[in-house]
Amino acid sequence: MTSKYLVKFYFTTLLIGTVISTVISLILEYENVTSYLFTGNIGEFLAGLVWFITFGLLIATISQVAFFIYLFIHPLGMGIFKGFWPYIQLLLIMYAIFDLFYFRFYEVGVETGFVWGFMWIPILMIVVGIVVARFKNKQVKNANVFIPSLFFMVFITAITMIPFVVVDDTSWIFRSVFAILVMNAYQLIKLPDYIEASEREKKERGRITKSDINDEKRKELRKERDEKAEQERLAKQKKKDIKRDNQKKMKNRKRGSVKNKSN
């Protein structure tokens, strides 16, 4: 992806997260901040608005960092664990859900004893994660990406949410969880569109980047490796065929000599 579309992808996600978080903050803090707009205290309102926007930018940045970490972790896990990676992802998803509930309940909910109030976040993440993962799986035609998508929407989101769920004030959770879920869904679903648009623009302009050159080199090396492997396979097969033919000739000679002796 070219820098143009990478920047566009970054700032679009940043704008989405900031707007969602800021709107929710204005609703939750109506009496403390938003009401100043209607009473004429513009300075007080702008001060609160700047703080909400700053917090929204922080949330959006955390979400984007988590997404790029996921893009690194997923292929690394596939390379290390290979066929076991989907099962490891499922275990991590279950651990994240339990930890997200237990960690917050243990920190701020033991004294209250109100369990259900601490379960809605994991439930929301599971529901949204399943919906987004199914949509992403339909979007990708030549592979099954349901588990990796669910892993990102649940496990990575849970990791991102840890700093905000340990506080007793639930308003911080509302300000973060919805923005993070929407941003994560947007990044997961829309990234291929940005990559496709970038590739299409490069073809239209006839532009060749260093990344394209590296891709071509990798394709050539892969082709040479495949051709070499095929040649080695054919050579081994030829040796096997020659060995088998020699064994047949030896058997035929032995049978011929036995027949001659019997005659």
Side-chain angles (χ1 to χ4, degrees):
M1 184 161 55
T2 59
S3 57
K4 171 187 173 181
Y5 284 93
L6 183 61
V7 171
K8 186 177 180 180
F9 176 70
Y10 171 78
F11 280 105
T12 303
T13 308
L14 197 71
L15 179 63
I16 291 172
T18 304
V19 169
I20 293 175
S21 179
T22 302
V23 170
I24 293 176
S25 296
L26 288 172
I27 294 172
L28 294 174
E29 298 293 336
Y30 177 81
E31 295 183 358
N32 298 326
V33 177
T34 311
S35 60
Y36 291 140
L37 180 64
F38 304 102
T39 59
N41 297 324
I42 304 300
E44 296 289 340
F45 171 75
L46 290 177
L49 181 62
V50 169
W51 163 243
F52 294 154
I53 292 175
T54 303
F55 180 77
L57 290 171
L58 175 64
I59 291 293
T61 303
I62 291 174
S63 174
Q64 289 179 312
V65 170
F67 180 65
F68 286 107
I69 291 174
Y70 163 76
L71 293 179
F72 172 76
I73 290 176
H74 181 59
L76 181 65
M78 291 178 62
I80 296 175
F81 300 106
K82 300 187 184 300
F84 294 100
W85 179 232
Y87 302 102
I88 294 174
Q89 287 177 298
L90 290 174
L91 290 175
L92 290 173
I93 289 171
M94 290 186 288
Y95 172 78
I97 293 299
F98 172 77
D99 188 64
L100 191 63
F101 160 72
Y102 177 78
F103 190 60
R104 182 166 184 260
F105 180 73
Y106 179 78
E107 287 290 328
V108 298
V110 175
E111 295 180 359
T112 63
F114 185 62
V115 179
W116 290 103
F118 299 89
M119 294 186 66
W120 70 270
I121 298 176
I123 293 173
L124 176 67
M125 288 170 53
I126 293 172
V127 173
V128 174
I130 290 175
V131 172
V132 174
R134 289 189 63 183
F135 183 86
K136 180 66 178 180
N137 197 40
K138 291 179 181 179
Q139 185 185 45
V140 179
K141 301 298 182 182
N142 56 349
N144 190 330
V145 296
F146 179 81
I147 293 179
S149 301
L150 186 64
F151 173 77
F152 171 69
M153 290 301 301
V154 176
F155 181 78
I156 300 297
T157 302
I159 297 298
T160 309
M161 284 293 300
I162 287 177
F164 308 104
V165 298
V166 296
V167 294
D168 196 9
D169 188 358
T170 56
S171 65
W172 292 102
I173 300 173
F174 282 104
R175 294 174 191 178
S176 57
V177 64
F178 296 106
I180 290 174
L181 285 172
V182 173
M183 283 186 293
N184 285 353
Y186 178 82
Q187 291 179 105
L188 187 66
I189 293 172
K190 296 299 291 182
L191 180 61
D193 294 339
Y194 283 91
I195 295 175
E196 183 179 350
S198 176
E199 294 295 330
R200 186 167 57 249
E201 185 183 46
K202 285 192 292 185
K203 289 180 181 179
E204 290 174 356
R205 293 184 178 183
R207 180 182 175 186
I208 300 176
T209 64
K210 187 175 180 180
S211 177
D212 297 328
I213 296 174
N214 292 333
D215 288 339
E216 290 297 326
K217 288 182 178 179
R218 281 192 289 267
K219 288 179 182 178
E220 292 177 1
L221 290 173
R222 193 180 301 115
K223 184 178 179 181
E224 292 177 0
R225 184 185 60 199
D226 293 341
E227 290 177 352
K228 185 177 179 181
E230 181 65 17
Q231 290 175 358
E232 290 177 354
R233 188 189 67 82
L234 292 174
K236 289 180 180 179
Q237 186 63 39
K238 187 176 180 180
K239 288 181 180 179
K240 289 181 180 179
D241 292 340
I242 293 173
K243 185 178 181 180
R244 186 170 56 251
D245 292 339
N246 291 334
Q247 288 176 348
K248 286 183 179 180
K249 290 178 180 179
M250 290 288 292
K251 289 180 180 180
N252 292 332
R253 289 175 183 173
K254 289 180 180 179
R255 289 175 182 173
S257 60
V258 170
K259 287 181 180 180
N260 292 331
K261 288 179 180 180
S262 60
N263 292 331

